[in-house]
Amino acid sequence: MSGQIKGNGAKFKNNVKVSERHGAGEWLIERILLVALLPLGLWVASTGFTLAGAGYDAAMAWFANPLNAVLMAITAVIFFGYVSLAWKVILEDYVPNVGTRGLLVLLLNIVFLVLAAASVFFIVRLALGSAPLPAGFGA
């Protein structure tokens, strides 16, 4: 019987405690992101080797290609999404206090969201030919 409640108050579905089933969706999302990240990561690595030693103009020309810029932005978003889920799992496994764990997950999600947004912002700036850093930053 689906949705059956046992004597200790725990709810079961197909003889598996419902609370033990919540991670299946996150597990699937992690695997999908990882499958997407593998070829993109190889592409980023090959690009790094290709552009190593190339001048500023060559790097700017590479970013000016819309396909390269879009793939790099997608890679950044997928990477930070994957890392966010991975850290959530680590925190759920090793931080026993529910309140502290929830706060840390929220904080890390905000950090990874900001990093993903900043990555996309600077990739777009480079793709449009803008300077890589705002005026006044850097040497």
Side-chain angles (χ1 to χ4, degrees):
M1 178 187 310
S2 181
Q4 180 179 1
I5 297 178
K6 302 277 180 155
N8 62 0
K11 188 173 181 182
F12 286 79
K13 182 175 182 181
N14 299 328
N15 291 324
V16 177
K17 192 163 40 166
V18 173
S19 64
E20 294 174 355
R21 299 173 63 94
H22 82 281
E26 289 177 356
W27 181 87
L28 182 61
I29 291 170
E30 281 180 2
R31 296 312 172 262
I32 291 170
L33 291 176
L34 185 59
V35 165
L37 198 55
L38 287 172
L40 289 170
L42 291 173
W43 172 76
V44 167
S46 70
T47 297
F49 286 120
T50 302
L51 290 177
Y56 178 80
D57 292 333
M60 289 302 288
W62 184 88
F63 273 103
N65 181 335
L67 179 63
N68 290 338
V70 168
L71 285 176
M72 188 62 79
I74 289 171
T75 302
V77 170
I78 290 174
F79 173 76
F80 286 116
Y82 180 79
V83 171
S84 175
L85 284 174
W87 271 103
K88 182 177 185 276
V89 170
I90 291 169
L91 292 174
E92 287 174 346
D93 288 345
Y94 295 106
V95 178
N97 186 316
V98 177
T100 303
R101 181 173 55 229
L103 184 63
L104 287 172
V105 168
L106 176 66
L107 179 65
L108 283 175
N109 283 341
I110 291 169
V111 167
F112 291 129
L113 179 64
V114 167
L115 288 172
S119 298
V120 171
F121 173 76
F122 284 112
I123 290 167
V124 169
R125 282 181 57 89
L126 287 171
L128 296 176
S130 301
L133 291 173
F137 285 0

